[in-house]
């Protein structure tokens, strides 16, 4: 019997969880959590994800991820695989690390993302680990609430924008919203069993995409074939952002605009270094060097500018679920 399909598409939002094999711990010490977050940051950047919330527990973790260009499956495979390999090396262990595949539940952003965000950051309280959400160091709560510096790879803007225009007022309202949450979380747990969290209109959209097939979390993903980003799109976007002619992006000695175009071409298309190099008049090795150089600029103004442009390019047209 053919197994049912789980769906992936550009612009989708997912509530993601993964648990250690036989409920074994995934994080034995703070260094493990730090390593996991470093890997998560890399995947978020490479895949162009919007990470709205996270919480690392003992034997599992929670993520709230938006995928402007799709790529949930490949990103999670990279994250879990690389962390499992590192964890086994670090703690001298062998064998299975995760309990099956990660679980990814489709979420209707406008109606349920905030409630899920609250549910995620209240997990340590439900588990009896702390009394207040801000007491747990390993979640996104502190950064969103403003008590910790916000890492560049965590998107707090959408969440805070739902509460107030001013950042201080929005953070205060967010803190109140979380405190007022229902600690049990049973409603969320009931909703996620259906494979998606949303209203009937959202469910109808997803059923239409699936063509009558049902959603499952224990099988390979079906990739929804939305149009891939093209070099022409990248050229137009970079030329507009830097106010240069598109032809100038292939000039012999390029500046930040040319570097941005090369970087985005490597990240957003399936072209290899040789093809991208030919398009912008550089050697394949230079393409790799540009990508490595920009990736190393964690919070520079140039890096932030490139990331904002990437989000603009990959933002799906309105009307998609």
């Amino acid at each position: 019997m053919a197994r049912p399909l789980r769906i992936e598409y550009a612009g989708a939002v997912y509530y993601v969880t993964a648990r250690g094999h036989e409920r074994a711990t995934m994080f034995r010490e703070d260094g493990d959590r730090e390593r996991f977050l470093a890997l998560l940051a890399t995947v978020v950047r490479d895949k162009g994800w919007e990470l709205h919330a996270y919480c690392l527990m003992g034997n599992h973790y929670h993520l709230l991820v938006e995928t402007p260009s799709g790529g949930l499956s490949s990103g999670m495979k990279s994250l879990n695989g690389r962390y499992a390999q590192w964890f086994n090396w670090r703690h001298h262990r062998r064998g299975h690390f995760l309990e099956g595949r990660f679980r990814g539940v489709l979420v209707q952003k406008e109606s349920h993302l905030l409630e899920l965000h609250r549910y995620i950051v209240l997990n340590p309280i439900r588990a009896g680990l702390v009394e207040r959400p801000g007491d747990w160091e390993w979640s996104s709560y502190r950064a969103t609430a403003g008590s910790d510096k916000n890492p560049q790879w965590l998107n707090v803007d959408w969440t805070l924008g739902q509460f107030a225009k001013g950042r201080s007022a929005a953070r205060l309202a967010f803190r109140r919203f979380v405190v007022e949450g229902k600690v049990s979380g049973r409603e969320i747990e009931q909703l996620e069993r259906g494979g998606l969290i949303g209203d009937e209109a959202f469910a109808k959209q997803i059923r239409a995409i699936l063509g009558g097939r049902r959603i499952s979390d224990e099988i390979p993903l079906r990739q929804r074939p939305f149009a891939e980003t093209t070099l022409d799109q990248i050229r137009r976007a970079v030329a507009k952002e830097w106010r240069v002619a598109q032809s100038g992006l292939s000039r012999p000695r390029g500046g930040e605009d040319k570097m941005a175009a090369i970087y985005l071409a490597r990240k957003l298309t399936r072209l290899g270094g040789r093809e991208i190099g030919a398009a912008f008049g550089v050697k394949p090795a230079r393409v790799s060097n540009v990508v490595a150089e920009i990736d190393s600029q964690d919070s520079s103004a140039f890096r932030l500018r490139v990331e904002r442009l990437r989000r603009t390019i990959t933002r799906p047209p309105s009307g998609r679920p």
Side-chain angles (χ1 to χ4, degrees):
M1 179 183 295
R3 294 190 294 180
L5 294 172
R6 185 172 62 179
I7 194 167
E8 179 176 346
Y9 59 87
V13 179
Y14 298 91
Y15 167 49
V16 177
T17 58
R19 190 177 299 274
H21 182 62
E22 295 183 342
R23 296 182 179 269
T25 184
M26 293 182 67
F27 309 104
R28 294 183 181 179
E29 55 195 28
D30 287 352
D32 296 343
R33 292 185 171 91
E34 290 169 354
R35 179 67 173 182
F36 181 88
L37 291 179
L39 291 172
L40 176 60
T42 298
V43 171
V44 167
R45 290 166 178 159
D46 286 347
K47 295 296 179 181
W49 289 354
E50 301 286 356
L51 181 67
H52 294 283
Y54 69 86
C55 185
L56 311 187
M57 301 296 285
N59 64 2
H60 67 285
Y61 65 79
H62 305 257
L63 307 176
L64 194 52
V65 176
E66 186 170 358
T67 59
S69 301
L72 179 73
S73 183
S74 60
M76 292 304 302
K77 181 179 179 181
S78 175
L79 173 63
N80 287 337
R82 292 167 68 184
Y83 180 69
Q85 185 178 34
W86 180 87
F87 185 92
N88 285 345
W89 168 82
R90 174 70 177 82
H91 297 288
H92 310 287
R93 70 178 298 277
R94 295 182 179 180
H96 294 294
F97 181 69
L98 291 179
E99 185 178 83
R101 299 179 70 248
F102 71 90
R103 177 171 172 78
V105 181
L106 282 166
V107 178
Q108 185 177 15
K109 181 177 180 180
E110 293 76 11
S111 60
H112 287 79
L113 190 143
L114 283 181
E115 190 59 48
L116 269 166
H117 192 146
R118 175 161 62 182
Y119 170 75
I120 287 171
V121 298
L122 285 176
N123 262 268
I125 296 178
R126 285 195 296 274
L129 299 174
V130 294
E131 294 184 358
R132 297 178 297 272
D135 294 337
W136 188 248
E137 183 179 355
W138 306 106
S139 85
S140 55
Y141 175 83
R142 291 184 180 184
T144 310
S147 53
D148 276 354
K149 182 179 179 181
N150 176 40
Q152 188 270 332
W153 46 270
L154 177 68
N155 182 349
V156 303
D157 292 339
W158 187 90
T159 297
L160 294 177
Q162 307 309 300
F163 294 99
K165 291 183 178 180
R167 187 54 59 100
S168 296
R171 284 171 170 163
L172 177 61
F174 170 76
R175 292 195 291 268
R176 289 173 177 169
F177 172 76
V178 172
V179 170
E180 293 168 357
K182 296 180 180 179
V183 177
S184 70
R186 291 178 180 174
E187 287 129 337
I188 296 294
E189 292 166 0
Q190 288 291 331
L191 284 170
E192 66 165 303
R193 290 177 185 175
L196 60 84
I197 299 177
D199 59 23
E200 181 55 34
F202 178 69
K204 185 176 180 180
Q205 287 179 308
I206 299 305
R207 285 196 295 269
I209 292 173
L210 285 170
R213 288 162 289 193
R214 63 189 180 85
I215 301 171
S216 170
D217 290 289
E218 295 303 322
I219 50 163
L221 285 166
R222 171 176 180 259
Q223 189 78 16
R224 181 116 172 120
F226 285 115
E228 183 183 344
T229 304
T230 66
L231 278 179
D232 284 343
Q233 287 177 287
I234 293 170
R235 286 180 182 277
R236 287 196 298 270
V238 171
K240 181 179 180 181
E241 174 69 20
W242 267 268
R243 298 183 179 180
V244 298
Q246 293 185 39
S247 59
L249 299 176
S250 299
R251 64 189 184 277
R253 290 184 175 273
E256 287 188 345
D257 54 342
K258 183 172 180 176
M259 290 179 64
I262 291 171
Y263 180 83
L264 292 170
R266 192 68 184 92
K267 294 292 185 178
L268 300 181
T269 75
R270 297 178 183 178
L271 299 176
R274 181 174 300 177
E275 295 165 303
I276 294 172
F280 293 101
V282 299
K283 295 180 179 180
R286 178 55 181 161
V287 174
S288 298
N289 290 340
V290 166
V291 172
E293 182 178 343
I294 295 178
D295 277 340
S296 68
Q297 299 177 26
D298 187 35
S299 299
S300 71
F302 175 54
R303 173 62 184 269
L304 295 176
R305 188 177 186 183
V306 172
E307 290 300 328
R308 285 196 299 270
L309 185 59
R310 172 154 76 170
R311 289 194 292 270
T312 299
I313 294 171
T314 58
R315 185 176 297 123
S318 60
R320 288 180 183 167

